[in-house]
Amino acid sequence: MTEPQDLKYRQWFRGADVDGDGFITRRDVRMMSERYIAARGAAPDSETARRLNDGMDGFWTNVIAPMDQDGDGKVDLREMIAGFRRVLTDPALYPQQIAPITNLFFDLTDLDGDDKIDQGEFQLIYDAVADVPGEDCAEVFATLDLDGSGALDRAEFHKAVAEFFYGNDPHAPANHLFGKIAD
């Protein structure tokens, strides 16, 4: 694992540790869902909320919980980095490992259903859910909009997420997908 990946994973961990206690728990994952649902303005009993809660429950069960090496029901930074190092080794596995949750987040971030994420949608969701400041969102969005269209299509979004989790380039724009990291 390279230094850029460690920095990215640490940044992701900070966002995923919603309550700030130094661990990712099932409750943190649920709180991410609640933030997302609130940012979308969806009712807690809506289809959107159900899809997100189901997807995030699967994310906890299939991705995060298996990283819990000591069986205490929570994942600390060391366990998470070790888990990512163990699992996210082959970008060819992206379709099975990361793409399903990426598709879910794309669909839920696309507030107007036009199959694109514009800067306003990106900023609303990332500010509310991942606690990424607005000025960082605007800068990150501009670098991820590879074709300069003013929106991220599904392919651009997948490219960014794949680069974030599997990439080693210390200068890749996607390094800052979940908030700016220090070089």
Side-chain angles (χ1 to χ4, degrees):
M1 191 63 55
T2 63
E3 172 111 1
Q5 285 177 314
D6 282 353
L7 292 171
K8 293 185 292 185
Y9 294 165
R10 288 175 192 278
Q11 181 66 24
W12 185 88
F13 184 89
R14 280 191 288 276
D17 178 16
V18 177
D19 62 12
D21 68 354
F23 300 97
I24 301 172
T25 63
R26 181 180 289 274
R27 179 69 189 133
D28 286 303
V29 172
R30 183 52 66 138
M31 286 190 296
M32 281 189 273
S33 293
E34 291 167 359
R35 284 183 177 180
Y36 214 106
I37 292 163
R40 264 196 76 104
D45 60 348
S46 67
E47 177 63 19
T48 297
R50 187 199 59 74
R51 280 185 60 216
L52 182 59
N53 286 329
D54 289 351
M56 292 302 281
D57 284 345
F59 181 64
W60 167 259
T61 301
N62 300 316
V63 178
I64 302 298
M67 295 179 191
D68 179 12
Q69 295 172 352
D70 58 12
D72 64 357
K74 49 192 178 182
V75 175
D76 64 23
L77 178 61
R78 181 193 54 75
E79 289 172 318
M80 191 220 57
I81 288 176
F84 279 172
R85 284 180 180 166
R86 190 174 55 255
V87 175
L88 301 178
T89 59
D90 184 356
L93 296 175
Y94 175 83
Q96 296 84 24
Q97 293 177 323
I98 306 291
I101 196 77
T102 302
N103 279 325
L104 175 64
F105 273 92
F106 183 92
D107 292 344
L108 294 172
T109 303
D110 177 17
L111 299 173
D112 61 9
D114 66 354
D115 210 34
K116 295 179 215 145
I117 299 172
D118 65 32
Q119 184 176 342
E121 292 167 328
F122 185 86
Q123 190 158 337
L124 173 71
I125 297 303
Y126 276 77
D127 185 34
V129 177
D131 201 25
V132 178
E135 59 276 3
D136 287 355
C137 279
E139 187 177 332
V140 169
F141 181 86
T143 64
L144 298 179
D145 182 13
L146 300 175
D147 63 6
S149 67
L152 302 178
D153 62 27
R154 196 173 294 270
E156 287 172 313
F157 193 67
H158 275 283
K159 181 175 173 51
V161 173
E163 175 58 38
F164 182 87
F165 283 106
Y166 297 95
N168 293 315
D169 179 356
H171 306 293
N175 290 349
H176 306 287
L177 182 61
F178 297 99
K180 293 193 78 164
I181 58 171
D183 292 334

